[in-house]
Amino acid sequence: MTRMIRIFDTTLRDGEQSPGASMNVEEKLMIAKQLARLGVDIIEAGFAFSSPGDFEAVRRIAQEVEGPVVCSLARARREDITRAYEALKGAPKVRIHTFLSTSDIHLKHQFRMTREEAKQRAVEMVQMARTYVEDVEFSPMDASRSDPAYLCEVIEAVIAAGAGTVNIPDTVGYTNPQEFGALIKRIKDSVPNSRQAVISVHCHNDLGLAVANSLAAVTAGAGQVECTINGIGERAGNTSLEEIVMGLRTRKDWYGADTQVVTEEISKTSRLVSKITGMVIQPNKAIVGANAFAHTSGIHQDGLLKDKTTYEIMRPESIGLEQNKLVMGKLSGRHAFRQRLEDLGYKLTEEDVNRAFERFKRLADQKREIYEEDLEVIVSEEVAKMSERVVLKSFQVESGTNKVPHAMVELEIDGKLVTHSGTGDGPVDAVYRTIAAMTQTKSKLLMFGVNAITGGTDAQGEVSVRLEEEGRTVSGHGADTDIITASARAYLNALNKLGYFSSKQAEGIQKVSLI
Ligand code: MN
């Protein structure tokens, strides 16, 4: 019989801890809705105590997203657990996830607690969380570097206290498949009440083993895997959702396990997360990389033409990857547009549809054929828009051979129109320098990249940038058929985010190092 493994997605919590991947509430909500379409079992929506922005994201996702259980992280502290509950209360399916270290290294140097004190605290906090909600998860942080005998004692105690899920994190990405599989087996076999809880795993990819370690854990009896879209997360990232899900699906015969993920939504979810976080996917990335299904060897191509199964273990359609699908053109009306968005799974308000439709019409004037990917960009930019202090009104730029590039930019800053001109090394540089002078930003441009969304010279160019200011990094993105316009949009998007997060940061506490 096939065992169903629960997929716990932490893109919005651990994933957001990737440098530059901070998201605003609207962006998180948009990703959460897509995760629901993808069919994940649990969404970790944030860490409610850490900032008002995280609190609001958890609250709105719990209220507005149907399907998955919505979870907030909380340290093993009363105020954290209460705050998590305040964000979740009233919503239909919720979970509180609390954690405390069990490794001597962490207990001694970071928490300054004895083993006995830590176990006692873990039990009390699980009991407290259970007074608020039915569904409680506990994580012994740094489990893979903990004394296994003590780890098992803590697990037994928190299950007795009411934890329905116990998650075993490889917080620092230190373990390997043989060792981690044996640890999970030991927990399943030697903790007397282990069958009363789901044993989960949370692996980091510091040594490139997160997915392998998670699969070894599934083989040893784990019933839940924590993962992120595109494997984003702290440092080298987390277990990648698409790899674990396709690994189990493709080799169901071997694992005897599967998930309820709708794999046809994988490609779209991956693109959305990459676009919103600005974290580009390497072309050779398993499952979702641009080359993942590109066969170039002549022998392979010959085989594929004769029979697909000769060299293809997964079909591109199984992750929702089809040839760019032509969806609309210039003559498409508002009704057809709305219908098309609904077919793609977007349920938008009237106001959002109108804004997206205007942008679509402008694009259709510049580009004859509009593809599904173009619509995704329009929706992600127009719907996830936050109120922006700085808005691009217009610009002109002159450049060419033997000419100093010159830009004239008109911005609306806090409702006031401002015009300014400047020069630069190239047209993009001229526009950026002019905008920098107008907004008086002190930020540094760390990364600038351009990508074509679909084929053809009339394709939209998508520009991603990363800015750094006072130790905080943010990413911005913008798309247009004109890459200078896309560049200006991406830069302003990032500048607006820097403003948004510096005001949010002032309200909240500093993010702490997490599981
Ligand atoms: Mn983590």
Side-chain angles (χ1 to χ4, degrees), residues 13-14 17 171 202 204 234 238 514-515:
R13 201 279 299 167
D14 208 320
Q17 287 171 229
T171 305
H202 176 113
H204 276 274
E234 283 272 356
N238 288 72
L514 297 173
I515 55 163

Side-chain angles (χ1 to χ4, degrees), residues 405-409 420-424 430-431 433-434:
H406 177 265
M408 167 104 109
V409 180
H420 197 74
S421 60
T423 56
V431 170
R433 279 171 190 265
T434 309

Side-chain angles (χ1 to χ4, degrees), residues 66-81:
E66 279 172 48
V69 171
V70 177
C71 170
S72 173
L73 188 67
R75 288 170 297 180
R77 302 185 344 160
R78 292 184 181 278
E79 48 282 39
D80 275 46
I81 291 171

Side-chain angles (χ1 to χ4, degrees), residues 428 432 448 450 463 465 478 482-492:
V428 172
Y432 276 29
F448 175 92
V450 193
V463 174
V465 298
D482 179 304
I483 59 159
I484 316 233
T485 307
S487 303
R489 283 214 179 112
Y491 188 43
L492 287 171

Side-chain angles (χ1 to χ4, degrees), residues 359 362-363 366 377 381 451 453 458-463 478-487 489:
R359 172 86 179 263
R362 280 204 305 276
L363 180 63
Q366 296 162 334
V377 169
E381 287 196 6
N451 249 316
I453 293 171
D458 68 349
Q460 289 198 82
E462 183 171 49
V463 174
D480 199 274
T481 51
D482 179 304
I483 59 159
I484 316 233
T485 307
S487 303
R489 283 214 179 112

